[in-house]
Amino acid sequence: MRPTPLKALAARVLTVAALAAVSLPGTPATAGTDTAPAAAAACTPAQVVTNGGFESGTSPWTQSSTSVITSRTGQSAHGGTTFAWLDGTGGTHTDTLSQSVTIPSGCSSASLTFWLHIDTTETTSSTAYDKLTAKIGSTTLATYSNLNKASGYAQKTFDVSAFAGQTVTLAFTGTEDSSLQTSFVLDDIALNTSGDTTPPADSTRTPAAPAYTVNLTSNTTGKGWTGHESVTFTNASSTALSEVYLRLWDNYHGTCSAMPIVVSNVSGGTAGSLSVGCTALQISLASPVAQGQSATIGFDLAITVPSGADRFGYDGSFVNIGNALPVLAVKDGAGWHLDPYTNNGESFYSLAADFKVTLDHPTSLLVPATGTSVDAAGSSGRTVTTATASKVRDFAWAAGPFTKISGTSPAGTAINIYSVTGISSSSAQSMLSTAKSAVDAHAARFGAYPYGELDAVIDNNYWFGGMEYPGFVLDLVSTTALTHEIAHQWFYGIVGDDEYNSPWLDESFTDYATDLAQNITGANCWNNVSWASSAENITNSMAYWDAHSSRYSTVVYTYGKCALHDLRRVLGDTAMANLLKNYATSHWYGVSTTAEFKAAAQAATTTDLTSFWTTHRIVG
């Protein structure tokens, strides 16, 4: 995904001429002093805030008065019925809310999230009369005020990884001056930890080999879908599985009381509680599943697509349905990976799976989708599209009265371009040409494209620039962006990764692949390089980047690909090409880690790369 398309496209201008040296101009004084951290203790991922939704009374929260945690009228919950309401009196007043939390040691990522709504009768646009301060321990994370008023809840995210291994107090303090009320309303507070320094091998990741069967019927507009989904899986772990988790990612786009993704009537297990902003649903299995054994769960599914030119949203009559199908979360030696959704990049971590998805929709709507699609006549005025895909990590589709053009790349990949209203035929033809050349260029470097056809939906209203799914991408009219999104078919799609904890493994590699496809050598990559702090690394997690969002594109996309260009200059062009081809082959349909890539790179050269990783801030 390109979260800031104008900035990301502009970065291409910085990489046009040749770079003469491997060193990073102007950086040794800051970057060179950093060393990789010592190996951490084993991480036990956990959500360490208790009763973060306030639905279980007041314990263990400490509140300044009994009216802070409440369900009284005047405000509403983000999820459930209860919330924390600080201030709102219209007079001099202070409210506090706190809880002691213990953040496990050994975890590379700790992310605090909460939902905040602010309303006020203050009329100023310049003076912060009433304030809410969020702290962890003695560290102030943020201060909000009447100037931050908004009509609904907004999620706030902070990287608190520095507090791993500590017991600290999470505290919120709201203060009002002598007149005009401001209400600070909090709900669904969570502190999730995850990520081990050295993730275990692929074989311990489970549930393995998922196979999804989905049957959905749309309403007349394609903005609502109902039906049934089932998934069969195998336990690859030596520990019996007594539960699984479904990721309902798109519930981020609604509230817990009005969820866009609703699962009901579960079979093969019992639905438990929703967590992580209602994006994770626990399913207790009917009986434990031993190593090598398989099980199936099923459920009814309802999808309601919200307004917005988004990866899950509709732009007029054109509907994008990305990350809407519930998929199994991954469990490994570090436990269940239940990271929060991020709108800044991606959180999606899943194992290669098979999908058979049947979509019953009005014939007036074209339905591009992951996999290979076959259309059949349905009931009057309707078409049944059946899409099948093998060894993919997700399934996405779109629906609308698209204009479609098709072609085949020189190497034989079928390409379909679906354009919304307003995209000229010349632009569509340009994108078809780009897709043909890009898919073949990437396949020649990293291995043959395995997914049959490739669909691209083109809409210049996308705020995010582009978004990747297996065999299916969303994009602006942009040669560079489309080449980038198609490269994601290899890095995230074929060579998987934990996108929340190691976003560089897909975004940096994909931007590097884009440069290679466009004959860009990475020249002058390090012009005007500047690290924000000693804590800033190319390999940081999305918890860090969500807390430092202005740095995400610069470091992960630009610095990340520049580091790979530098590695190519150390190894030599041929050795680097062989490294990436062999690395993709050895991780085909598997999962990559930073440690594994570093080991593979070191094995490709007699040069000690220790200082290279340190200088380039590649940690792990």
Side-chain angles (χ1 to χ4, degrees), residues 423-443:
I423 302 297
S424 68
S425 59
S426 61
S427 291
Q429 288 291 341
S430 174
M431 292 298 93
L432 178 60
S433 177
T434 294
K436 289 178 182 179
S437 61
V439 73
D440 284 356
H442 299 320

Side-chain angles (χ1 to χ4, degrees), residues 157-182:
T157 303
F158 301 92
D159 180 12
V160 293
S161 304
F163 296 91
Q166 300 181 37
T167 297
V168 290
T169 298
L170 174 63
F172 300 90
T173 301
T175 59
E176 279 183 295
D177 72 349
S178 59
S179 64
L180 300 177
Q181 76 85 25
T182 300

Side-chain angles (χ1 to χ4, degrees), residues 538-558:
I538 289 172
T539 49
N540 281 355
S541 72
M542 287 308 306
Y544 178 89
W545 300 121
D546 280 345
H548 303 83
S549 59
S550 65
R551 298 290 296 164
Y552 173 59
S553 178
T554 298
V555 178
V556 173
Y557 288 72
T558 304

